[in-house]
Amino acid sequence: MNYFKDLLALLKLERDEDRRQYQQLTQTTSLTERRANGLTWYPIAIRGSELGRGEYLTVELERTTHQEIPHQLRFGMPAVLFSNHDPKQDRVEGTISHQSGNRLKLTLRVDELPDWSRDGKLGVELLFDENSYDEMEQALKRANTLSEKSDHRLINILTGQHSPTFHSDRPALSLPQLNPSQQAAVNQILAANELAIVHGPPGTGKTTTLVQAIKILIRQDNQKMLVVAPSNTAVDLLSEKLHEQGLNVLRIGNPARVSERLMALTLDQRVNDHPYMKEARKLKKQANEFRTMAHKYKRTFGKAEREQRKALFDEAHRILKEVAQTEQYVVDDLIAKAQVITATLVGANQYAVRDLTYHTVVIDEAGQALEPACWIPILKARKVVLAGDHCQLPPTIKSAEAARRGLGTTLLEKCVALHPGAVSLLDEQYRMHEHIMGYSAQVFYQNNLKAHASVARHRLFDGDTSLVFVDTAGCGFDEQLDGTSSTNPDEAALLVRHLSALVADLSTLYTPQDFPTVAVISPYKQQIALLTEQIRAATDLQPYSAKIAVNTIDSFQGQERDIVYISLVRSNPEGDIGFLSDIRRMNVAMTRARKKLVIVGDSATLGSLPFYGDFIAYAEALNTYQSAWEWL
């Protein structure tokens, strides 16, 4: 089927480009630069080691300095332990099997640590993640084979050859804790035979709706369900909410938000806590002792010592085999009892659950999921629920060519267009003042979104305006190019001045404890660096620093704050707005605010795109347009 062959070709483009960027980053940069880019921990100390599954050695590593640098080392990713004495020679590859704070566990493909690990400075560095691409590629090939061989209903529906069907005779459930659109979505999910889509705009309670639907499906069908999302953070949120509803949740993989509650749901922790593992741990300790004794024999020894060494190793192996059988029994037992398995898209194929199939698979945040990754869990299901918002940020694509040829179009977007009858729109939001919501509702949601009475008019104080556009046109605030990113120092300074004035007003109304939360966001990384610096330097803002977060728009998707400032940066005579033309990013930015949204930008530059011209007209109609001159 050409559908999957085309996707495979796009995935290959993406893999090649991703690998090229990774190689460029690692081969042409120094260790210090790689550490700054979050690819490397250096120096590190070895805090312990033990033989684990398959008799591979797991070492626990801790980064001892530069602990404040954000990094990309995550559970499941391939990494290499190296010695800085000779990084090309002295290296051993493995997989990160746990990561929390400044410690991680690396499972190596050896059964003992190499000699060089005892001297010289050590580091750990991410390798290019071929595994995720391999999993996606295998899923697409399998989907292709299934689509050609048999009449696979679900595949045919998702690729647009058939239409989804529904039980029309099911009595609708009444769920008083949900609003009418949420109830309709749950009933649609229950009635669907193959596909249901939940379109959840910002603040509409998508997670609440999904959790209720999953709970009812499990109660009715008594079937195990798989719940997946593209990011660990989204998986964590669902795992926690499902657990709170009293469901037996098994979290596959390592949570990003490492709280005690979440750790207790993971397969590793559950295995650890299982009553059968007490004896297994004793045995494991014994095996490790035998190994240590065997290693004490130097390599130049006589026949008797060699036999003694071999006997110790043999005994260690025999014990570990017994431990492995116990572990396997425990894993099988835990999986058999779980009602919901939660994982990332690629994590759905983790060794312990690789061969499971499910009646229903739920894919949350499907608007951010790369389609090839979605096919990994889909092939394990008879029915799929896609939930997300295709009007917010799409997945990140490294290859411009692959994006241009359609890899950026998600399965959610395709299915919404192909099967509008399967879509339930959640139409009531519980986050934003109606003026903050209004423009997004008009542009992205055909005015079908309404604000719940509890938030429709909530403000920071009586008489405050919830939406402000501060226009810098004519102020001579020209943007600058800083490396590959744009900055606008004058606009940053104006924004900080505006924020300081607002904070001064609010400090008379709120105590530091209940002070409103603030996000300062921008699409440009360098502008964020500039804003962070200026906010740190503003002495009047220092008492409130715990309440003020500064970051890119992309990193705020899924979050909310009482007050949001957006710095749009672009200001030039050509009217060139760069990737501000991706209006979905602006939809995310504008819908993070609960009670006040302040946007700072140059109307003369922005007006070249109708989206911004219309927004400025919207602000003027609400009488919330300000000229930057008022602040200079």
Side-chain angles (χ1 to χ4, degrees):
M1 190 176 185
N2 283 344
Y3 185 94
F4 293 106
K5 287 175 184 152
D6 292 348
L7 265 179
L8 276 162
L10 296 181
L11 186 64
K12 184 181 184 313
L13 283 175
E14 177 67 2
R15 180 195 282 226
D16 292 348
E17 177 56 22
D18 197 2
R19 191 191 290 112
R20 188 193 67 74
Q21 288 183 20
Y22 170 83
Q23 285 168 346
Q24 195 177 354
L25 207 55
T26 50
Q27 288 165 8
T28 60
T29 53
S30 67
L31 182 60
T32 313
E33 287 172 292
R34 296 200 300 278
R35 179 170 61 197
N37 281 323
L39 294 174
T40 308
W41 283 7
Y42 178 85
I44 55 162
I46 293 178
R47 295 291 181 225
S49 70
E50 60 165 19
L51 272 187
R53 198 176 299 278
E55 294 183 31
Y56 285 148
L57 187 71
T58 296
V59 286
E60 185 168 5
L61 310 170
E62 182 175 19
R63 72 169 162 174
T64 47
T65 66
H66 301 82
Q67 293 182 334
E68 72 297 335
I69 299 178
H71 63 88
Q72 301 172 42
L73 286 81
R74 300 279 179 270
F75 169 82
M77 297 191 84
V80 59
L81 175 70
F82 66 88
S83 154
N84 206 30
H85 174 65
D86 187 354
K88 290 261 188 290
Q89 270 327 109
D90 297 348
R91 50 189 286 131
V92 54
E93 294 185 3
T95 305
I96 298 172
S97 48
H98 189 264
Q99 190 273 311
S100 162
N102 287 299
R103 287 196 172 210
L104 63 78
K105 287 183 179 174
L106 188 63
T107 300
L108 302 168
R109 299 192 188 110
V110 291
D111 60 3
E112 57 181 308
L113 273 171
D115 293 338
W116 53 257
S117 67
R118 289 172 193 84
D119 45 46
K121 283 194 167 174
L122 302 178
V124 62
E125 182 161 282
L126 271 189
L127 291 168
F128 180 67
D129 186 9
E130 298 282 2
N131 175 53
S132 296
Y133 284 105
D134 289 344
E135 294 282 12
M136 289 189 266
E137 193 179 298
Q138 279 161 9
L140 291 178
K141 285 178 175 166
R142 226 185 116 224
N144 189 45
T145 308
L146 286 169
S147 70
E148 284 176 345
K149 268 190 186 156
S150 60
D151 179 31
H152 195 295
R153 242 194 111 59
L154 186 56
I155 293 177
N156 286 337
I157 287 167
L158 293 172
T159 55
Q161 286 155 85
H162 289 163
S163 295
T165 60
F166 296 86
H167 288 292
S168 52
D169 52 348
R170 273 186 96 121
L173 287 181
S174 167
L175 303 159
Q177 71 273 41
L178 301 181
N179 69 36
S181 69
Q182 291 171 333
Q183 291 195 49
V186 171
N187 280 307
Q188 173 98 311
I189 290 171
L190 299 177
N193 291 317
E194 308 89 5
L195 172 69
I197 300 168
V198 179
H199 181 190
T204 52
K206 172 172 61 72
T207 306
T208 307
T209 308
L210 286 179
V211 166
Q212 288 305 320
I214 291 164
K215 204 169 121 179
I216 296 164
L217 277 171
I218 286 171
R219 215 174 46 218
Q220 286 187 351
D221 301 338
N222 202 12
Q223 298 264 11
K224 203 184 296 308
M225 280 181 73
L226 173 65
V227 177
V228 288
S231 73
N232 272 305
T233 317
V235 178
D236 291 350
L237 177 66
L238 276 162
S239 304
E240 216 161 344
K241 298 279 186 212
L242 290 163
H243 171 64
E244 282 165 11
Q245 291 290 323
L247 294 171
N248 183 346
V249 178
L250 191 60
R251 167 75 160 97
I252 301 296
N254 192 39
R257 302 207 311 254
V258 186
S259 64
E260 284 302 311
R261 278 211 311 246
L262 272 171
M263 280 316 296
L265 303 180
T266 61
L267 181 61
D268 287 355
Q269 191 63 45
R270 289 269 180 95
V271 167
N272 219 7
D273 297 343
H274 199 282
Y276 280 25
M277 287 307 290
K278 204 172 169 188
E279 185 57 32
R281 271 194 293 278
K282 272 190 209 154
L283 287 170
K284 208 178 209 178
K285 196 174 166 208
Q286 202 182 350
N288 275 312
E289 280 163 6
F290 283 142
R291 275 178 60 245
T292 311
M293 283 156 67
H295 284 308
K296 284 192 176 131
Y297 287 102
K298 293 290 166 248
R299 312 236 166 208
T300 51
F301 40 59
K303 185 169 180 280
E305 285 100 331
R306 188 176 293 115
E307 278 172 1
Q308 184 58 28
R309 178 183 156 111
K310 185 180 179 305
L312 286 166
F313 270 133
D314 287 349
E315 185 56 17
H317 282 304
R318 188 193 65 71
I319 294 171
L320 284 169
K321 212 171 189 171
E322 202 178 314
V323 171
Q325 282 168 344
T326 305
E327 275 185 0
Q328 193 53 55
Y329 172 79
V330 169
V331 167
D332 293 345
D333 182 49
L334 290 168
I335 288 169
K337 288 179 178 146
Q339 292 172 297
V340 189
I341 307 273
T342 62
T344 58
L345 298 164
V346 177
N349 240 6
Q350 196 247 26
Y351 75 91
V353 292
R354 181 175 283 267
D355 300 324
L356 293 186
T357 55
Y358 309 85
H359 183 275
T360 306
V361 166
V362 176
I363 303 181
D364 191 19
E365 300 297 356
Q368 279 189 284
L370 208 56
E371 181 177 351
C374 290
W375 286 98
I376 299 169
I378 287 170
L379 294 177
K380 301 173 183 295
R382 285 204 303 235
K383 165 171 160 178
V384 171
V385 178
L386 297 175
D389 182 10
H390 49 289
C391 304
Q392 291 186 62
L393 281 174
T396 307
I397 311 281
K398 301 269 173 76
S399 159
E401 167 77 350
R404 196 177 55 73
R405 285 170 49 185
L407 189 62
T409 307
T410 59
L411 186 63
L412 176 70
E413 265 175 285
K414 291 178 184 177
C415 288
V416 166
L418 288 166
H419 308 301
V423 181
S424 304
L425 173 74
L426 305 179
D427 63 13
E428 192 165 17
Q429 63 84 17
Y430 297 81
R431 177 184 298 164
M432 298 161 268
H433 186 287
E434 58 191 6
H435 291 169
I436 298 174
M437 172 201 81
Y439 189 64
S440 275
Q442 191 179 304
V443 177
F444 296 99
Y445 308 110
Q446 293 75 49
N447 277 329
N448 287 325
L449 204 53
K450 55 182 182 282
H452 185 259
S454 62
V455 300
R457 295 180 182 276
H458 66 176
R459 295 188 272 212
L460 293 168
F461 54 87
D462 279 347
D464 186 36
T465 48
S466 60
L467 176 91
V468 180
F469 177 69
V470 182
D471 189 358
T472 64
C475 294
F477 288 6
D478 292 342
E479 65 184 79
Q480 300 170 8
L481 198 63
D482 187 342
T484 54
S485 186
S486 297
T487 63
N488 194 322
D490 293 325
E491 181 177 293
L494 173 80
L495 185 151
V496 173
R497 197 174 312 153
H498 197 288
L499 174 61
S500 293
L502 178 63
V503 165
D505 287 346
L506 296 175
S507 63
T508 61
L509 303 167
Y510 293 91
T511 67
Q513 286 73 40
D514 68 357
F515 199 83
T517 54
V518 183
V520 178
I521 59 182
S522 173
Y524 294 98
K525 266 206 178 101
Q526 286 309 114
Q527 185 75 346
I528 290 302
L530 208 61
L531 283 160
T532 305
E533 213 172 285
Q534 294 193 12
I535 287 171
R536 273 199 195 128
T539 46
D540 53 342
L541 294 178
Q542 274 163 8
Y544 306 97
S545 58
K547 297 282 187 173
I548 303 171
V550 190
N551 217 325
T552 59
I553 293 171
D554 299 35
S555 65
F556 265 99
Q557 176 143 330
Q559 297 189 52
E560 54 187 78
R561 295 289 188 277
D562 294 318
I563 303 163
V564 171
Y565 274 81
I566 307 175
S567 169
L568 293 179
V569 177
R570 301 309 289 258
S571 175
N572 55 66
E574 298 75 38
D576 176 15
I577 61 169
F579 79 164
L580 286 188
S581 58
D582 180 359
I583 60 174
R584 291 193 287 187
R585 182 171 274 106
M586 280 313 295
N587 185 31
V588 170
M590 292 161 124
T591 54
R592 300 305 97 203
R594 295 188 196 110
K595 297 178 180 176
K596 191 175 186 80
L597 172 65
V598 183
I599 298 182
V600 187
D602 176 352
S603 65
T605 301
L606 297 168
S608 63
L609 193 73
F611 174 83
Y612 294 100
D614 292 348
F615 170 72
I616 293 160
Y618 174 80
E620 283 171 335
L622 290 171
N623 202 16
T624 58
Y625 169 94
Q626 294 177 355
S627 166
W629 290 103
E630 296 171 36
W631 294 88
L632 294 180

